[in-house]
Amino acid sequence: MFLAVAGGLTRTAGNRVTLALGLVGGLAYALASATIAFTDRFDPLFPIGSLIGVWAVAVGVVAMIRK
């Protein structure tokens, strides 16, 4: 999550569009992981956490296009 924010703001790992994907995916996964032992309310957030993978692919495509 921090890599997505830092990389998106400085444009070293993606841009502001990919920043949103990494941030939302990271927050969803963190919230679901932190509360799994106490409640099942946030379990549906795990699939949203897959946006981290989408972020990684998007950053890779952006990096390939730049070169």
Side-chain angles (χ1 to χ4, degrees):
M1 180 172 64
F2 294 113
L3 178 63
V5 173
L9 291 176
T10 62
R11 296 180 187 231
T12 56
N15 53 28
R16 294 187 191 271
V17 175
T18 59
L19 179 146
L21 293 174
L23 184 63
V24 170
L27 287 175
Y29 188 78
L31 181 61
S33 297
T35 61
I36 197 166
F38 308 110
T39 181
D40 293 335
R41 176 176 284 166
F42 299 110
D43 284 356
L45 291 178
F46 277 116
I48 296 171
S50 66
L51 285 175
I52 295 171
V54 174
W55 170 80
V57 170
V59 168
V61 168
V62 169
M64 286 176 34
I65 291 172
R66 284 185 186 168
K67 295 183 182 193

